[in-house]
Amino acid sequence: MFVDVETLESFRIEGAQAGAWRTILVRSNAYEGDNRYKGKIPKMLLHRLVPNARFSIWIDAKLQMVVDPIQILERFLWRSNDTMAISNHFERADAFQEAEAIIRERRYHSKAKLDAQMDFYRTHEGLLPYDRAARMPLVSDVPESCVVLREHTPLTNLFSCLWFNELDRFTPRDQVSFAVVRDKIIAQVPWRINMFEDCERRNFVWTMRHKRED
């Protein structure tokens, strides 16, 4: 479990436990005061923090893993001979629709920044609204990115670095930049990401309530 100094101190004060997980303190002044960005560092750049790890399963803090991680890797990576897996978004496959939903649901504060990001992807990166007939076998342009499964090969590490670069350049909403990075790589090399149904994800991680301060 990756934690910052404040979270580690709250564990000490409250006597909280992390279960079977080892807690790893991430010391960084990057993106100070913006937890949305700070959380992307271990999520995207895990191969830099734990360089000897061969496989990883990232799950957001709101989730709890309820299945043996070896079974998860076998089901979504090893069985299909993939090096990265992530579930489809449960509702949308189009990155532009996802950007609209982010603003509508107030999941990001700056409509201008998100609009600028999507305009750049449209005019400079060639990203188009998702058309299933035209895009197959790419089943979606939008992941449910709360869970990311990886074998840390050079290609998956490259993808992760490029994905992080998009967050640093634009906004921390990683779902809207996913397709741009994926398409750049698969245009150059034979590689794929196993995008599985979100209902399968819900079989091995459960959503937990966040602790709220009254």
Side-chain angles (χ1 to χ4, degrees):
M1 176 185 292
F2 293 93
V3 298
D4 56 16
V5 173
E6 291 80 5
T7 303
L8 190 63
E9 180 64 13
S10 71
F11 279 8
R12 185 188 67 80
I13 294 172
E14 299 174 9
Q17 301 293 322
W21 301 107
R22 172 190 173 194
T23 57
I24 299 177
L25 177 62
V26 179
R27 297 183 182 273
S28 174
N29 293 324
Y31 311 115
E32 194 63 37
D34 193 333
N35 290 332
R36 292 169 302 181
Y37 272 111
K38 287 175 68 176
K40 304 302 182 184
I41 296 173
K43 179 176 182 178
M44 304 293 186
L45 303 179
L46 189 62
H47 60 286
R48 303 292 298 272
L49 297 174
V50 191
N52 293 328
R54 184 178 175 187
F55 297 94
S56 69
I57 302 175
W58 168 270
I59 62 173
D60 282 359
K62 65 184 178 182
L63 300 176
Q64 181 179 35
M65 189 184 301
V66 294
V67 172
D68 186 329
I70 296 298
Q71 293 181 344
I72 299 171
L73 293 173
E74 192 282 328
R75 171 64 183 85
F76 297 105
L77 291 185
W78 303 336
R79 189 181 302 182
S80 53
N81 198 30
D82 288 303
T83 58
M84 182 170 175
I86 194 168
S87 66
N88 305 332
H89 192 279
F90 68 95
E91 189 174 6
R92 287 174 289 276
D94 181 86
F96 296 99
Q97 292 179 0
E98 175 62 15
E100 293 171 0
I102 288 170
I103 295 300
R104 185 172 61 251
E105 298 166 9
R106 299 182 180 180
R107 287 184 279 135
Y108 189 65
H109 65 278
S110 177
K111 182 178 185 301
K113 288 184 178 180
L114 198 56
D115 284 346
Q117 179 177 4
M118 301 314 294
D119 286 343
F120 183 89
Y121 288 164
R122 182 186 293 106
T123 58
H124 292 82
E125 302 287 6
L127 184 65
L128 298 173
Y130 180 79
D131 181 327
R132 187 175 182 85
R135 295 283 278 164
M136 288 298 288
L138 301 176
V139 297
S140 176
D141 281 349
V142 183
E144 188 63 50
S145 57
C146 55
V147 174
V148 186
L149 316 177
R150 281 170 288 208
E151 179 182 356
H152 289 283
T153 67
L155 268 178
T156 57
N157 292 344
L158 174 63
F159 175 89
S160 298
C161 286
L162 294 177
W163 200 9
F164 181 83
N165 287 348
E166 292 302 305
L167 310 183
D168 185 63
R169 177 163 64 154
F170 291 112
T171 70
R173 305 309 309 188
D174 52 32
Q175 291 164 308
V176 299
S177 56
F178 171 85
V180 167
V181 179
R182 177 199 59 193
D183 292 354
K184 282 182 179 179
I185 293 180
I186 65 175
Q188 301 294 322
V189 294
W191 183 66
R192 79 166 205 144
I193 297 173
N194 179 12
M195 296 192 74
F196 53 92
E197 294 297 326
D198 191 57
C199 58
E200 295 185 88
R201 173 189 66 83
R202 300 182 194 197
N203 287 333
F204 65 84
V205 290
W206 292 351
T207 302
M208 309 298 290
R209 290 182 179 272
H210 280 297
K211 180 180 178 181
R212 299 185 64 177
E213 295 182 3
D214 297 327

